Amino acid sequence: MNEPKRLYRSRSERMIGGVCGGIGKYLKIDPTVIRLLFLLLAFLSGVPAIIAYIILLFVVPEEPLSVEPPKQE
């Protein structure tokens, strides 16, 4: 049976805490795009975006070690 899709903080695609890398993997988008969108949101909204990132840093679990990294094509 198919396992449900889970959101994790990335262990390999991380700049600070792996939040944007994990969201990128979850949405199958380049993590750099997520980082740029977050940066834009941070400039437009200021503190709320930074608080949201910090909350995600503590709420979203880190990727388990048993998860195999996706194969490069």
Side-chain angles (χ1 to χ4, degrees), residues 2-14:
N2 288 341
E3 206 171 306
K5 202 171 174 184
R6 300 273 324 248
L7 175 62
Y8 293 111
R9 288 187 293 128
S10 176
R11 289 183 181 269
S12 59
E13 290 287 338
R14 66 182 345 162

Side-chain angles (χ1 to χ4, degrees), residues 13-40:
E13 290 287 338
R14 66 182 345 162
M15 289 285 192
I16 297 173
V19 174
C20 293
I23 293 171
K25 282 184 180 181
Y26 184 81
L27 298 174
K28 296 180 180 170
I29 299 174
D30 185 9
T32 305
V33 173
I34 302 297
R35 289 183 190 108
L36 290 173
L37 288 174
F38 173 76
L39 205 62
L40 180 65

